[in-house]
Amino acid sequence: MTVSGHGARHVAIIMDGNGRWAKKRMLPRVAGHKAGVEAVRTIVRAAGELGLEAMTLYAFSSENWKRPEEEVNDLMGLMKRFILSDLDEFAANDVKLKVIGNWRALAPDVVALIDNALERTSGNKRTTLAVALNYGAQDELVRAANAAAANGKISAETIEANLDTADMPPLDLLIRTSGEVRLSNFLLWQSAYAELYFTDTLWPDFTPADLKAALDQFARRDRRYGGL
Ligand code: IPE
Ligand code: IPE
Ligand code: MG
């Protein structure tokens, strides 16, 4: 059964707090990232069950290269394993994979893996899962503006048409876990009229019930878009 009385079509999540989750347990940061991948699995499944057409997850920002090389390698390794091991799950749940950000600049083996996963899930219809990888909204906007200019005209419409998310429904709800109250260069354009939801829950502890709670609150918000 799908539940979509909340009215949201597209939810994005800044999945933050893996490191603090591990620290609380006196575990290495990579243990937090592994637990974070488990949370991704359950939340993607829940997204379909909750009737969402699209979910965008911030997995690696264009600024995350500032982290120690070991952590960056751990994150890339987990990403590769996630994509490989979950291809069957995507098929079973009718999930179409999409990747946003400057992912073509990643290592050739990651790019090849992504290309394959995109192709294998391209016919799936229920939910689009967009993973933001090497993503920065300012970089996305610069690319979109250049593409618009190359075709002669920069306007809100031509920029929007060249965003990485151009083929997705408008962003309804942006969630950030872990208590930080900032956007960290995520979906700046798309957030113009998205509803924002911040929770102290650390990403590995975020459950389908938490997603449901965010959607319940979203359903009660009054979106005015500047009108009355
Ligand atoms: C989010 O968790 C995952 C990524 C940014 C890749 P963090 O690694 O940022 O966890 P904290 O913020 O240090 O707790
Ligand atoms: C944002 O989290 C990026 C991702 C969740 C992938 P960060 O942990 O990198 O953000 P800051 O550094 O706290 O702003
Ligand atoms: Mg963080």
Side-chain angles (χ1 to χ4, degrees), residues 148 153-163 189:
K153 188 168 158 32
I154 294 186
S155 68
E157 287 73 24
T158 61
I159 288 177
E160 188 145 307
N162 284 288
L163 293 174
W189 179 284

Side-chain angles (χ1 to χ4, degrees), residues 8 44 46 61 69 137 164 187:
V44 171
S61 79
E69 195 181 334
D164 295 351
L187 301 179

